[in-house]
Amino acid sequence: MNIYERLATLNLPEDTDVTLTYSQGTGVFVHNETAVDTAIADTDVISEFADLVATPGLQTSVPYVGNVLETMRESGFLDDYERGSFAFEDFIREVLHGNFYDQEFIGNSIKRYDYKRGFCTLETTVTVPLANFLELQPLVYGWVVSVATPAGTLTVTDD
């Protein structure tokens, strides 16, 4: 049984939020303040985020920020996109790479091992209404999928 079938069997209200979390990290140098830039280059968090939010019709939101595409549009990040170019994921990916510090979709944390070395983790959390998630069935391989139920938060995995 796949993730979508498992969620459908829970009989939750259609407006229940499905929470998707993706994180990845890498070893970095912390003494020269390039840790986050190194993590951006060495992980695929931005790429996975761009692929998810560019899924046609998917209603993605980031907690405390709001709808991802609406927020990007209101902030002017999508102004240069040429509609019909069929490269929307690539465009979002490039915008996020170039404006990482100007957006609030992907967070970062740095663990210092000593004065020189550490580990930087990038993480994003996206919510999607259950009905929309089940209808479009976006690719979520590598994402942690969870949903609030009356019995507590349930993390759903594939077999």
Side-chain angles (χ1 to χ4, degrees):
M1 190 179 295
N2 66 34
I3 289 173
Y4 313 103
E5 292 167 341
R6 287 179 196 266
L7 287 173
T9 63
L10 296 175
N11 296 320
L12 295 170
E14 291 183 353
D15 63 344
T16 301
D17 280 336
V18 176
T19 302
L20 307 164
T21 305
Y22 191 88
S23 68
Q24 199 174 49
T26 188
V28 296
F29 289 112
V30 295
H31 70 287
N32 58 6
E33 299 184 12
T34 61
V36 175
D37 293 330
T38 301
I40 291 169
D42 291 355
T43 66
D44 67 348
V45 175
I46 290 177
S47 181
E48 289 293 325
F49 179 81
D51 289 345
L52 182 70
V53 302
T55 302
L58 193 64
Q59 301 166 13
T60 55
S61 293
V62 171
Y64 308 109
V65 176
N67 183 286
V68 174
L69 295 180
E70 286 177 15
T71 302
M72 290 183 79
R73 192 171 291 114
E74 290 170 4
S75 299
F77 290 129
L78 301 181
D79 291 348
D80 294 334
Y81 177 67
E82 184 179 320
R83 287 188 175 268
S85 65
F86 301 105
F88 194 50
E89 299 92 353
D90 294 333
F91 182 82
I92 291 175
R93 194 174 297 117
E94 288 175 20
V95 165
L96 293 175
H97 272 280
N99 301 285
F100 184 83
Y101 298 100
D102 298 327
Q103 53 83 24
E104 298 177 354
F105 304 123
I106 300 170
N108 66 78
S109 62
I110 301 170
K111 179 178 181 182
R112 295 176 179 266
Y113 298 139
D114 55 30
Y115 77 95
K116 188 175 182 180
R117 291 178 202 76
F119 194 85
C120 182
T121 301
L122 300 181
E123 181 174 274
T124 185
T125 299
V126 178
T127 60
V128 179
L130 178 62
N132 184 245
F133 185 77
L134 293 177
E135 176 187 347
L136 297 177
Q137 298 186 3
L139 295 175
V140 291
Y141 180 76
W143 290 78
V144 175
V145 179
S146 59
V147 64
T149 70
T153 302
L154 176 68
T155 300
V156 187
T157 60
D158 273 331
D159 285 338

